[in-house]
Each structure stands twice: as structure tokens, then as C-alpha cells.
Amino acid sequence: MSVPPLSLTVNGARVTVTPRAGLTLLAHLRNDLGLTGTKTGCATGACGACTVVMNGAAVQACQVPAAALQNADVQTIEELVKTPAGRAVAEALIAAGAAQCGYCLPGIVAAASAALARDGAATDLPAALSRNLCRCGTHARILGALERVKNASGAEA
Ligand code: FES
Ligand code: FES
């Protein structure tokens, strides 16, 4: 039985993907759309490496079934770093030397920028990043850099 394609917006462009059994948003982004900035980690919802922004909220792309994608609005790291919140987060992480391997950072940028864009100076960063693991153990440096972004957003408000 053929399955009709799904239409959604990814990084501001209208795209279609053909759902296949068991595939998630993560697979469609990386395999069908070539957006490999979003990383594959545990594929079980435990690490946050695959975090993207969907309809304004951070989601773990490995946990979003294709059935949820019709008319969704998705932003990946490729687009998020061009947004004010995403750019501020990425620049702060670079300035702080927060990365070791860097594998966790696309997901962290997505989670943090979605929270900062929504809550600004009131953002609870530890809560926003509670589902993002850094296997290199640089959580403290990452949170420190993001606190500076949050405080700067408060100064601008
Ligand atoms: S790869 Fe999705 S949460 Fe780990
Ligand atoms: S810097 Fe390596 S997983 Fe975070």
C-alpha cells in the first residue's frame, strides 16, 4: 500500500517526505533532506543529541513519528544559528570554549535557543537542558556560557 507524502516546513522551506515504517523526524531530516547537523545518539529519547525545534518547542527528533509531521514547522541547527537566539547561544558556546567533541552542541543550541526565545531573562536553563547530555562532561561550562546569554537578554529587555 502506498503512503501519501507528508508536507511540512523545514528551515523556512516547504518540503515533502515519504513516511516509511518506523522512521522518525530524525531519519527524514538526515537521510531524506541531508540536514546532518542534527545528530543521532541513543535513538531512545535519552541523550538529546537529536534535539530540534518543532512548532516553537524543543523536541527530540528521534522520538517524533512521521505521522506527526504533516504541516509541522521545523528548525534545525542549520537554520537556528541564523536566528537571534540561536546565534547568541552558538557564539557564547564558542567564546567559552564549551565544546570538546562538539557532538552534543546542535541539540543544546536547539534546546537553549527555543527556551531563550520563549522565556528570555526568565529562562530556567538547567530545566531547558535537562534532557541534553554532554558525554564530554562540559555541562558546567555550557551552562555558564548560556547564563551569560540569558543575562544579556535581560539587559536588552
Ligand atoms: S538520539 Fe534522540 S534523544 Fe538521543
Ligand atoms: S562536547 Fe562532546 S558530547 Fe558535549
Side-chain angles (χ1 to χ4, degrees), residues 1 6 27 36 39 41 62 78 103 106 110 112 136 138:
M1 183 178 76
L6 299 168
T36 55
K39 300 306 181 194
C62 74
E78 288 87 350
Y103 201 80
C136 297
T138 63

Side-chain angles (χ1 to χ4, degrees), residues 10 25-35 38 52 61 74 76:
V10 178
L25 172 59
L26 177 60
H28 287 303
L29 289 174
R30 289 182 56 86
N31 301 342
D32 295 346
L33 301 174
L35 294 168
T38 302
V52 299
V74 176
T76 69

Side-chain angles (χ1 to χ4, degrees), residues 1 4 7 50 54 56 66 80 98 100 115 122 132-133:
M1 183 178 76
S7 177
C50 65
M54 180 169 150
L80 287 167
Q100 289 194 26
N132 292 79
L133 302 180

Side-chain angles (χ1 to χ4, degrees), residues 9 25 51-60 71-76 80 83 85 109-119 128:
T9 300
L25 172 59
T51 305
V52 299
V53 178
M54 180 169 150
N55 302 331
V59 297
Q60 294 179 330
N71 291 324
D73 184 5
V74 176
Q75 289 177 295
T76 69
L80 287 167
T83 67
V109 170
S113 60
L116 286 163
R118 184 185 62 234
D119 297 333

Side-chain angles (χ1 to χ4, degrees), residues 86-109:
R87 187 168 52 243
V89 167
E91 288 176 351
L93 293 171
I94 292 168
Q100 289 194 26
C101 77
Y103 201 80
C104 64
L105 292 188
I108 284 174
V109 170

